[in-house]
Amino acid sequence: MKAATRGGGAVAGRAPARPARSMVWLQGLACGALATLATPLAVLLGVLLLPGLCVLLLDRTPGRPVARTMLLCGAAASVSPAWQLWDHGLTMANSLDQLSDFLTLGLAWAATAAGWLLAEVTPVFVHLVLEGTSRRREAELRAARSRFEAEWGIPPADAEKPGA
């Protein structure tokens, strides 16, 4: 039975649902402000997070879990260089100096790669754990069933039925 609707399709007694609002424009505004007001910081973070940003553009999976994991790990490794840039002066020379340090760039990209590996290996590991758990539980249930069959004198369940 369907609920009665009024006017714009709202269910009786309820207000009409609001459309989901996109925050893309707000993210673009924040990115534009960062690029305009703190160009050296935007350049530094853009290069440090470059692998994750590339995957973000290429990933078509709903929710983009691989890209999000990579960006999160890369962002964690980018906090210290961004803090050092802010502390030593927000200039393009300091930003390029940070980027020329192999350890800084390597650490950020290695953290991004670790995020990729984590996103790819975790589902396989979880599947193996769940499969092992279900097989262990199946073995326990089969053992309990055979105990009950022996105790109660019931023929085994996998015995051939007469007339089949």
Side-chain angles (χ1 to χ4, degrees), residues 30-143:
C31 185
L34 177 67
T36 303
L37 301 174
T39 305
L41 184 61
V43 168
L44 177 71
L45 292 178
V47 172
L48 292 178
L49 298 174
L50 187 63
L53 294 172
C54 289
V55 171
L56 185 65
L57 292 174
L58 298 174
D59 193 8
R60 296 290 174 222
T61 309
R64 297 183 170 131
V66 175
R68 289 173 48 198
T69 305
M70 288 176 70
L71 284 171
L72 181 64
C73 292
S78 300
V79 170
S80 179
W83 184 274
Q84 288 175 2
L85 177 66
W86 191 273
D87 216 22
H88 293 106
L90 204 57
T91 64
M92 191 59 81
N94 286 343
S95 178
L96 294 176
D97 187 42
Q98 285 275 349
L99 289 173
S100 67
D101 182 20
F102 178 73
L103 185 62
T104 301
L105 190 62
L107 181 65
W109 286 12
T112 304
W116 171 78
L117 188 64
L118 181 71
E120 294 295 330
V121 171
T122 300
V124 173
F125 180 72
V126 168
H127 175 73
L128 289 175
V129 168
L130 291 176
E131 185 70 25
T133 304
S134 65
R135 286 186 184 202
R136 180 187 51 84
R137 181 69 177 145
E138 181 184 9
E140 289 173 355
L141 290 173
R142 287 189 187 279

